[in-house]
Amino acid sequence: ERPKVVFCPSTRLYVLYFHLDHFQMRLPHYHWRMVGVATSRYAVGPFVLKKVFQPDGLPSLDLTLHQVRYGDMYVEAGDVFLIRSVDNKRVAVSKLDSSNF
């Protein structure tokens, strides 16, 4: 659902993040509540699935990304943060590292 794409300068790949789930119509909730990660040499794909995970071990629903443009004393330019809903109860922010690209 609602994919987001960022460019990773160190790998020179486009990285796509998306909410990955299995929804059954007869049940009123999501089951997997995970983030999928796929990469491509081009912004429009094709993308290859690389990883499925729950950031910080927390279930993830709607998500967005923030890629830092200009560094300062706390973050470096290019750092990426994943902001997401945790079970529609709270918001979680995770700094993504190279294992997530």
Side-chain angles (χ1 to χ4, degrees):
E1 295 179 345
R2 296 176 276 289
K4 311 293 188 265
V5 177
V6 294
F7 181 72
C8 179
S10 63
T11 63
R12 308 225 19 97
L13 293 173
Y14 290 90
V15 185
L16 179 137
Y17 292 86
F18 58 96
H19 170 223
L20 178 70
D21 222 313
H22 174 62
F23 184 81
Q24 294 181 349
M25 293 303 288
R26 67 181 190 276
L27 299 173
H29 60 278
Y30 293 99
H31 294 275
W32 297 342
R33 303 172 297 167
M34 301 184 109
V35 174
V37 182
T39 60
S40 174
R41 290 178 46 206
Y42 307 99
V44 295
F47 285 88
V48 176
L49 184 64
K50 296 294 184 179
K51 183 177 183 177
V52 174
F53 71 115
Q54 289 185 327
D56 303 321
L58 299 172
S60 298
L61 297 175
D62 288 333
L63 63 90
T64 192
L65 296 174
H66 174 70
Q67 188 167 28
V68 177
R69 288 187 179 184
Y70 306 104
D72 64 20
M73 63 189 310
Y74 301 107
V75 296
E76 295 180 25
D79 282 352
V80 177
F81 293 86
L82 177 71
I83 302 107
R84 71 218 182 267
S85 167
V86 177
D87 287 337
N88 291 328
K89 295 179 182 173
R90 63 189 174 103
V91 173
V93 178
S94 301
K95 182 178 178 184
L96 300 177
D97 59 29
S98 60
S99 70
N100 297 307
F101 287 113

